[in-house]
Amino acid sequence: MNDFLQSIIDRDPAAKSKLSVILTYPGVKAVFFHQIANFFCVAKFDLIARMISQFSRFLTGIEIHPKAKIGKNLFIDHGMGVVIGETSEIGDNVTIYHMVTLGGISPSIDSDNQRDVKRHPTLKDNVVVGSGAQVLGPVVVGKNAKIGANAVVTKDVPENAVMVGIPAKNVGTTTEEFKPYGITPSSGE
C-alpha cells in the first residue's frame, strides 16, 4: 500500500500527503473496491462482485468491471467517467486520466458469442492514457506508450509510441520517463 500511495505522489504534483491521497482521490477508492469485487468474482460470487463494483461507481464515478485484471500502482487521476471493461488487462504503473474508456467494439451484437472472449484492451506497463481517450477492442498498447487526450485507439500500439487523433496515429516515440503536467524536478513547479 505504501508503494502504491508513493507512486501516486510521484506522478501528481497536487498530491500533498499519503493521507490526502487516501481520503480524497477517487481513483484510490475505485482500485480498493475493485480488489474486493475481484476477490468475490474469483470466488464465483458474481452478483456480490457486481454490486460492489456498482457501489464503487456510485461513490467515485469510475466503473471497473470486477473481472478486469489490474497490475500494481494503477493511478486513475481525477477519474470521473472512467470505464474499464470486463476483459481489460492493465499492467504496472499505468496512469489513466478522466473520461477514458477501455471498452469493447460491438457489445450488443451477438452477445452470446462474445461471452468469455477477450474483447477489451490490454495496457502494458507504464502506459499513460490521456483525458477522454477511447481504447476499444482487444488491442494491445505496448510498454511506455502514450495515448493523447481524446484519441481513439482501435489497433495495436507499439512500445514507446505516442498516439494522437481520431483514429489514433503514431506520431513518434518517447524514450523519456512520463512527467505529469510537464513538471520536472528542475522546473521549480
Side-chain angles (χ1 to χ4, degrees):
M1 179 66 141
N2 193 42
D3 289 343
F4 172 55
L5 297 174
Q6 188 59 49
S7 78
I8 292 171
I9 290 171
D10 291 344
R11 288 182 272 176
D12 186 359
K16 304 300 181 209
S17 71
K18 291 177 184 173
L19 182 61
S20 73
V21 169
I22 290 169
L23 295 175
T24 66
Y25 279 51
V28 171
K29 293 175 184 71
V31 169
F32 170 75
F33 280 114
H34 171 72
Q35 291 172 340
I36 296 168
N38 182 258
F39 170 83
F40 282 103
C41 190
V42 169
K44 306 287 186 210
F45 292 102
D46 292 327
L47 180 58
I48 293 171
R50 288 304 300 262
M51 289 172 63
I52 293 167
S53 171
Q54 291 302 297
F55 178 69
S56 175
R57 176 183 174 205
F58 173 77
L59 288 179
T60 67
I62 299 167
E63 183 171 348
I64 306 174
H65 193 284
K67 285 188 180 176
K69 296 177 182 166
I70 297 178
K72 67 179 184 175
N73 301 332
L74 170 62
F75 177 31
I76 303 173
D77 196 3
H78 299 289
M80 183 58 73
V82 168
V83 176
I84 299 174
E86 178 181 22
T87 62
S88 296
E89 298 176 45
I90 299 174
D92 297 340
N93 305 307
V94 169
T95 302
I96 296 175
Y97 288 92
H98 59 283
M99 301 302 292
V100 166
T101 299
L102 303 182
I105 48 176
S106 30
S108 64
I109 300 170
D110 198 13
S111 292
D112 283 338
N113 285 331
Q114 293 187 51
R115 296 188 206 293
D116 302 319
V117 172
K118 176 77 168 144
R119 59 189 193 283
H120 297 95
T122 296
L123 307 182
K124 298 293 187 173
D125 296 347
N126 305 310
V127 167
V128 178
V129 185
S131 304
Q134 308 296 299
V135 186
L136 305 173
V139 300
V140 175
V141 178
K143 286 182 179 181
N144 307 311
K146 312 291 185 270
I147 309 298
N150 296 315
V152 177
V153 176
T154 58
K155 295 182 177 160
D156 288 351
V157 174
E159 288 186 10
N160 302 310
V162 177
M163 305 294 289
V164 298
I166 304 172
K169 291 181 175 51
N170 188 344
V171 295
T173 59
T174 180
T175 55
E176 68 180 42
E177 178 184 334
F178 171 61
K179 295 175 185 73
Y181 312 108
I183 302 240
T184 63
S186 62
S187 68
E189 292 184 54

